[in-house]
Amino acid sequence: MRKKLGLALGAGGARGVAHVGFLQALEEEGIQADYVTGCSMGSIVGVCYCAGISMSVVKDAVLNLSLLKIASLNVNPIRMNGVFRMTKARKLLESYLGAHLRFEDLKIPFRCVATDIISGKTIEMKEGNVIDAVVASASIPGVFSPQEKDGMLLVDGGVLERVPVKELKNMGAEVIVAVDVLGDLTAERPAPKNLIASFLRFIDVIDTNVTKRNRRSRSKNIHLWLEPQLGDMDQYQVKNLAFAYEKGYELGKENAEKIRALLGE
């Protein structure tokens, strides 16, 4: 009997386009997830997949993205706690998913994570409006304004949980495949040239170390940990998207047989 497959799609900004290629490859191989979790860009791609949108459609959308299509400058970034607003990104998601899509409406069970900067905890989102949840999960601190919800102030889930694995286990997944598009971000890079760049570099270093600890502590639940070979692609620059897609696609094709074997097919 085939085991239940869970996919954990990690945070990654522009590098997260690799998730689209990965899922496209699995679609072509006839492999479908039973449960999906996502963080940040992984939550955006994941919710489209769980809503039944073909990855070929998602590919066409993401390869035409630019910063101007997903973000609007805040007039007062200090007061708004972010350089940009997610208004355009929200409208783009609504054009594909509808403004009122709820978790229970999805064709495949899905959960995503955000970080509450008031309590300092990871928040697992699994009910209510899907787009509200996904936008919160993708709100990179300092770059995008936090999202207010139920007394919380939510930012990118990658601050504490870059690849949400434990949530998949709780959903009932028997085989867990985790896709981390960021890998090790602690490698030496050019010196940051401004405050925002310094802050983002700080997040990358902390993020990588938190992810390593999480992976070690949850290794018994992870059957396959995958990382596309994206080199030094910058997650914060909306470019090289076709490259990310292709590397994700290669990753899916290369590991299709391994996934089938794990599922007992």
Side-chain angles (χ1 to χ4, degrees):
M1 184 175 178
R2 179 188 179 278
K3 295 179 180 179
K4 299 289 186 180
L5 172 62
L7 297 179
L9 307 179
R15 292 169 68 105
V17 173
H19 290 309
V20 182
F22 178 76
L23 293 175
Q24 175 81 61
L26 294 194
E27 279 186 1
E28 292 177 4
E29 294 290 334
I31 300 172
Q32 179 174 299
D34 298 286
Y35 308 99
V36 177
T37 58
C39 178
S40 198
M41 188 60 176
S43 69
I44 292 173
V45 177
V47 76
C48 291
Y49 176 80
C50 291
I53 300 175
S54 169
M55 286 299 105
S56 61
V57 173
V58 178
K59 174 189 176 184
D60 290 342
V62 298
L63 293 189
N64 288 300
L65 285 180
S66 66
L67 185 59
L68 291 176
K69 290 182 179 180
I70 60 175
S72 303
L73 275 171
N74 277 319
V75 176
N76 189 335
I78 294 177
R79 184 174 65 83
M80 297 300 294
N81 291 320
V83 177
F84 299 103
R85 290 172 289 154
M86 292 281 276
T87 309
K88 290 183 178 179
R90 177 185 289 274
K91 289 182 178 178
L92 183 60
L93 284 169
E94 289 176 354
S95 71
Y96 286 93
L97 300 170
H100 306 294
L101 184 69
R102 299 178 66 83
F103 279 85
E104 59 265 30
D105 299 326
L106 294 169
K107 296 180 179 180
I108 299 172
F110 170 76
R111 298 180 185 180
C112 62
V113 294
T115 304
D116 176 20
I117 57 176
I118 294 177
S119 68
K121 297 179 179 179
T122 293
I123 305 299
E124 179 184 7
M125 293 177 286
K126 56 184 179 180
E127 57 187 20
N129 185 283
V130 166
I131 292 180
D132 286 346
V134 169
V135 168
S137 179
S139 294
I140 302 170
V143 178
F144 297 109
S145 297
Q147 306 298 307
E148 296 182 24
K149 179 179 174 61
D150 300 331
M152 299 180 290
L153 207 55
L154 301 175
V155 298
D156 197 309
V159 173
L160 295 175
E161 186 100 27
R162 186 162 96 192
V163 186
V165 170
K166 67 176 182 179
E167 291 78 8
L168 273 180
K169 183 70 174 178
N170 294 338
M171 292 169 79
E174 297 169 289
V175 172
I176 293 178
V177 175
V179 184
D180 179 16
V181 300
L182 290 178
D184 188 349
L185 298 173
T186 59
E188 186 173 335
R189 300 285 174 85
K193 296 181 179 179
N194 53 54
L195 178 61
I196 293 295
S198 295
F199 180 70
L200 294 176
R201 178 60 178 158
F202 168 76
I203 290 176
D204 285 349
V205 172
I206 298 300
D207 183 11
T208 295
N209 284 282
V210 169
T211 300
K212 286 179 179 178
R213 289 197 297 271
N214 286 346
R215 182 180 175 183
R216 284 195 297 269
S217 66
R218 293 161 191 165
S219 59
K220 64 181 182 296
N221 295 323
I222 303 169
H223 297 85
L224 197 58
W225 180 278
L226 302 175
E227 297 180 7
Q229 300 303 305
L230 297 173
D232 61 356
M233 180 180 176
D234 191 336
Q235 65 167 317
Y236 302 114
Q237 295 187 29
V238 188
K239 62 180 185 179
N240 299 326
L241 303 182
F243 167 75
Y245 170 86
E246 291 298 334
K247 289 299 179 181
Y249 183 83
E250 290 174 10
L251 188 74
K253 288 291 187 179
E254 290 167 359
N255 288 279
E257 287 304 320
K258 290 181 183 178
I259 295 172
R260 284 197 188 93
L262 287 168
L263 295 175
E265 292 185 346

